[in-house]
Amino acid sequence: QVQLVESGGGLVQAGGSLRLSCVVSGNIFSIGEMGWYRQAPGKQRELVATITSAGVSNYADYMEGRFTISRDNAKNTVYLQMNSLKPEDTAVYYCNALIFTTRWSADTYWGQGTQVTVSS
C-alpha cells in the first residue's frame, strides 16, 4: 500500500507565498519522477512542475519563474514553493509520483489534493 499525503495549502492574498509538501509512505522500493498538478473549478487538471530522482526539474510555461519544485529523497518528500501568487493560481493541487514497489514493478500514484485559494 502506497500513500501520498499533501499539506501546506490554504488561503493567501495575492502576492503571497505558500509551500506545499507531499510525503510518500508505504511499500516503496524507490521513487522515480515526482510532480505537482493542479485543477481549478471547471477546468482540466494541468501540470505545474515535475522533478526526477536526480533533481532535474521541469515547469509549465505559465509558471514564469514563480514556483520552485524540490525533493528530499531521504524523506520521500516533494515540495512546491509558490511565490507571487495570483488569484488564477487558485486550484486544488495534487502530488503525483512514480513508485517502484519492486525493482521491476512501478505505478503512478496520486495524493488526495490540497486546496490553494488566492484572494485578490
Side-chain angles (χ1 to χ4, degrees):
Q1 191 81 359
V2 174
Q3 278 192 315
L4 278 66
V5 178
E6 300 106 332
S7 62
L11 174 64
V12 64
Q13 288 188 332
S17 298
L18 284 175
R19 188 193 194 206
L20 306 183
S21 299
C22 173
V23 181
V24 181
S25 63
N27 180 26
I28 303 165
F29 177 79
S30 66
I31 304 175
E33 185 173 276
M34 306 179 81
W36 289 95
Y37 291 73
R38 70 185 188 183
Q39 187 166 17
K43 295 188 177 181
Q44 289 189 329
R45 191 172 297 188
E46 63 180 1
L47 169 72
V48 176
T50 61
I51 185 167
T52 68
S53 57
V56 178
S57 57
N58 176 62
Y59 296 90
D61 290 342
Y62 62 81
M63 288 297 101
E64 300 173 339
R66 298 182 296 121
F67 294 4
T68 302
I69 190 171
S70 61
R71 65 191 281 173
D72 184 334
N73 292 330
K75 296 181 179 180
N76 292 340
T77 301
V78 62
Y79 305 97
L80 184 68
Q81 177 67 43
M82 304 187 293
N83 299 326
S84 302
L85 283 161
K86 305 175 181 180
E88 50 264 44
D89 294 319
T90 295
V92 178
Y93 284 71
Y94 296 91
C95 173
N96 160 285
L98 180 66
I99 306 295
F100 288 81
T101 52
T102 70
R103 184 182 298 274
W104 303 278
S105 177
D107 205 349
T108 298
Y109 291 83
W110 291 87
Q112 81 288 351
T114 185
Q115 176 70 47
V116 171
T117 303
V118 184
S119 63
S120 57

